[in-house]
Amino acid sequence: MPTLGVLEGSLRKASLSRAVARSATDLAPEGLDVVLMPNPGTLPLFNQDVLDEGMPAAVSALADALAGIDALLIVTPEYNWSIPGGLKNAIDWVSRLKPNPLEGMPVAIWSVSPGILGGARVHESLRHVLHSQDMVIMAKPEVQVAGARSKVDVAAGTVTDQVTRDFLSAHLTRLNAIIQVAAQKDAAIA
């Protein structure tokens, strides 16, 4: 059974995007295992001097978690029209690993916002960074959960709006199909 890792872009415990990220477990199709990756807030700021002294334990824990997945779902807010610092920092750390666990991995992005754009502006900058890691990006359909305060129960960690639930579930079903195709290609190469 393929495993989808969910990486949260928010560090806030009661964030809308964190609640949507945690709902992926319930929304995933049968046959797709969903696991949460360590939150980027556990990582120190990337600093080559720190790396020169040895890989921090929190980065090693993230690397171990990434090694156990077949695809990645990033669920994030938009900060100042771009990527939250903690999320970018996590990618910066992982990019230093040899081999890079992100290389060739399927990835999808969900942005979540209380605003009317749903965090749409984070997609372009995040895709740019993910391309630098040679990830296989599921570009369509884009997922922006707009007006999230009326669609998400943060305390329960669930999406309450049925139309949004159906859309996210269909997106995960499509992502699962992409994961299956990638696995077949990898098997053919091996």
Side-chain angles (χ1 to χ4, degrees):
M1 173 174 0
T3 301
L4 175 66
V6 179
L7 183 60
E8 301 167 349
S10 180
L11 308 183
R12 186 171 173 234
K13 290 179 185 172
S15 80
L16 292 164
S17 63
R18 178 174 270 193
V20 173
R22 291 168 188 247
S23 74
T25 302
D26 296 330
L27 299 171
E30 189 173 321
L32 179 62
D33 188 29
V34 178
V35 297
L36 293 173
M37 297 289 96
N39 188 277
T42 63
L43 306 175
L45 290 176
F46 178 76
N47 180 331
Q48 186 63 47
D49 293 338
V50 172
L51 181 57
D52 289 345
E53 293 179 14
M55 191 63 72
V59 177
S60 294
L62 177 58
D64 290 346
L66 288 168
I69 64 172
D70 301 295
L72 186 64
L73 171 63
I74 298 174
V75 184
T76 186
E78 169 192 304
Y79 287 178
N80 299 314
W81 298 7
S82 192
I83 307 167
L87 177 57
K88 176 66 167 66
N89 184 57
I91 296 167
D92 289 344
W93 272 111
V94 171
S95 73
R96 300 317 194 269
L97 299 171
K98 304 293 184 240
N100 183 337
L102 301 178
E103 187 175 327
M105 182 182 290
V107 61
I109 303 165
W110 292 358
S111 60
V112 181
S113 171
I116 61 172
L117 296 179
R121 292 173 288 214
V122 73
H123 285 255
E124 182 179 359
S125 52
L126 185 52
R127 279 194 308 265
H128 185 74
V129 172
L130 299 175
H131 273 298
S132 79
Q133 301 308 298
D134 200 25
M135 297 189 80
V136 178
I137 301 168
M138 181 179 168
K140 291 182 181 179
E142 286 191 354
V143 175
Q144 294 112 17
V145 180
R149 281 195 185 107
S150 66
K151 299 175 181 175
V152 176
D153 181 338
V154 172
T158 61
V159 176
T160 56
D161 178 71
Q162 192 59 49
V163 171
T164 303
R165 288 180 63 81
D166 292 345
F167 180 72
L168 296 177
S169 182
H171 191 267
L172 288 173
T173 297
R174 182 157 154 41
L175 179 58
N176 190 35
I178 291 170
I179 296 167
Q180 301 292 337
V181 169
Q184 291 172 357
K185 287 181 182 177
D186 287 346
I189 292 170

